[in-house]
Amino acid sequence: RRAAAHALTQAGALEASRPASWSSGAWLDVGAASGCMAQVACDCWGFSRCESIDTDATPGALDMTRGLCMPVAPFDGARLPFANASFDVVSFSFVLHHVGSAAAQRRLLDEAHRVSRRHLVIGEDTVEGDADRRLTRHHALHDGMNSAETACDECYRSEAGWRQLLG
């Protein structure tokens, strides 16, 4: 339930800037965790095909009783297992900071461009000062990403830093 509520909050934030071309087609949510964002895309925005993938997906995670909105398929975190231009929208919802380096983030974004026909939708944490850096370091530790000594400072960026990475 918590994941579904979080996805609905994110969907509400996206609704204001949603292009008209989001009215149909195929949606892929990368790093989906619960599959709820893709489910919102199908239920609320009329997408006819919605898929979710995550590096943490395991056969047990596909059990809908574990709090998933829809099945989440596994992938290796590097290559998206889809043909070129397979989706109208590819989304990353607070996922890219979990990717281990700027180079790996860029490669994953290149993959998203490869499988997308139209749009990339990216929601991400931003770091604009020392307080934000402390909060993101706590976030990384909470997610089990890194130890306090090796928290990936380059994985979190300012808004300008994300824009630069996105080109």
Side-chain angles (χ1 to χ4, degrees):
R1 292 184 201 267
R2 194 172 121 212
H6 184 66
L8 286 171
T9 299
Q10 291 173 356
L14 285 172
E15 182 65 29
S17 60
R18 182 174 67 91
S21 59
W22 282 21
S23 60
S24 63
W27 182 291
L28 173 64
D29 189 21
V30 179
S34 64
C36 292
M37 195 69 216
Q39 190 66 53
V40 166
C42 277
D43 292 349
C44 298
W45 295 327
F47 282 84
S48 57
R49 184 175 125 235
C50 298
E51 297 192 36
S52 297
I53 61 173
D54 198 302
T55 58
D56 293 333
T58 62
L62 299 179
D63 177 359
M64 297 297 282
T65 64
R66 297 185 68 186
L68 300 180
C69 293
M70 67 184 307
V72 177
F75 89 114
D76 66 9
R79 173 123 175 107
L80 298 176
F82 303 101
N84 295 351
S86 297
F87 296 91
D88 296 285
V89 176
V90 176
S91 66
F92 293 89
S93 185
F94 301 93
V95 169
L96 288 172
H97 65 264
H98 291 279
V99 178
S101 69
Q105 289 172 339
R106 182 71 258 162
R107 286 190 300 271
L108 189 54
L109 287 167
D110 288 345
E111 275 293 289
H113 280 286
R114 180 184 65 77
V115 303
S116 176
R117 286 188 286 269
R118 295 185 184 171
H119 304 285
L120 294 185
V121 176
I122 300 169
E124 193 50 74
D125 293 317
T126 59
V127 177
E128 303 297 342
D130 288 339
D132 289 342
R133 184 145 322 275
R134 284 191 299 276
L135 286 171
T136 56
R137 195 172 288 268
H138 174 75
H139 176 127
L141 293 171
H142 180 268
D143 286 351
M145 288 172 55
N146 303 293
S147 70
E149 294 78 33
T150 61
C152 180
D153 288 336
E154 85 172 340
C155 295
Y156 293 95
R157 305 168 182 285
S158 66
E159 183 176 344
W162 285 114
R163 288 185 186 281
Q164 180 180 1
L165 178 72
L166 296 170

